[in-house]
Structures are given as structure tokens and as C-alpha cells.
Amino acid sequence: QVQLVESGGGLVQAGGSLRLSCAASGRTFGSYPVGWFRQAPGKERELVARISWSGGSTYYADSVKGRFTISTDNAKNTVYLQMNSLKPEDTAVYYCNAGTIASMATAGRYWGQGTQVTVSS
């Protein structure tokens, strides 16, 4: 059974930093993308960042470019999202996502339970 377990969310002031972690178990995903989506209250879930497990390709939403960095640790089967210069509009539930779809823009079938990130002004 595949599980994606997120950690690292919390409350931070604007301008601060957080690092999210997502540990995958139950299978490995080869070179397929893994990444993060987020959903704010009253809004649709949106793609934040994705990376191939090999680390060779990355994708960032325009709203987070230059502030967020996605990375993987294949030995730990874990993906990270380093979030710097956080803004109140980054407040959302962040979900880890993985699967076996090659497209960076398309969500895979596996989702984590979500971790809340709240940025105060």
C-alpha cells in the first residue's frame, strides 16, 4: 500500500521560512514526478512545484518561483519543499502528490493527508 506522509507545516510570520517533507512508502516511483499542490479556503487545488525523482527536472508555479525550492532524497524516498520569504497568500493546506504519469503538470494518483501552512501578516 502506497503512503505519502507529510510533515513540517505550521504557523510562521510573513517573510519566514518552513520546510515541508513527504516520505513515500510502499513503492518507488522511478523517474516519475513527485511534488506539492496546495489548496486555500474557497479556492481550487493548485500545483506548487514538482520534480522528477531523479532530480533532473523541476517545475514551479509562477507565484513561488525564486522563493520555494523542491528537492528529493532518493535514499530516504523523501521529497522536500523549502519555502522562503513566505507571504500570507501562501496560506493553504499543502499536499504531497506522486504517481506514474510522466507529465509535470498532471497530478499522480497518490495523495498525502495534507499539512497546514499558515502565514501571518
Side-chain angles (χ1 to χ4, degrees):
Q1 182 179 358
V2 175
Q3 283 192 311
L4 303 175
V5 180
E6 302 111 330
S7 60
L11 173 63
V12 64
Q13 288 188 334
S17 298
L18 285 173
R19 188 176 81 152
L20 306 183
S21 300
C22 172
S25 62
R27 66 162 293 166
T28 57
F29 294 92
S31 60
Y32 289 112
V34 60
W36 296 89
F37 289 71
R38 68 185 181 187
Q39 188 166 21
K43 295 188 177 181
E44 293 187 355
R45 191 170 297 189
E46 63 175 354
L47 174 59
V48 176
R50 298 200 89 195
I51 187 170
S52 59
W53 274 104
S54 65
S57 300
T58 57
Y59 170 88
Y60 294 95
D62 288 342
S63 58
V64 306
K65 281 181 182 176
R67 300 188 298 122
F68 290 11
T69 303
I70 190 169
S71 62
T72 59
D73 184 334
N74 286 358
K76 296 181 179 180
N77 222 24
T78 298
V79 59
Y80 303 98
L81 185 68
Q82 178 66 44
M83 306 186 293
N84 298 329
S85 302
L86 282 161
K87 304 175 181 180
E89 51 263 44
D90 294 318
T91 295
V93 178
Y94 284 69
Y95 296 92
C96 182
N97 174 263
T100 55
I101 297 175
S103 169
M104 280 285 192
T106 304
R109 64 180 292 192
Y110 302 107
W111 293 93
Q113 80 284 359
T115 186
Q116 176 71 45
V117 171
T118 303
V119 185
S120 63
S121 57

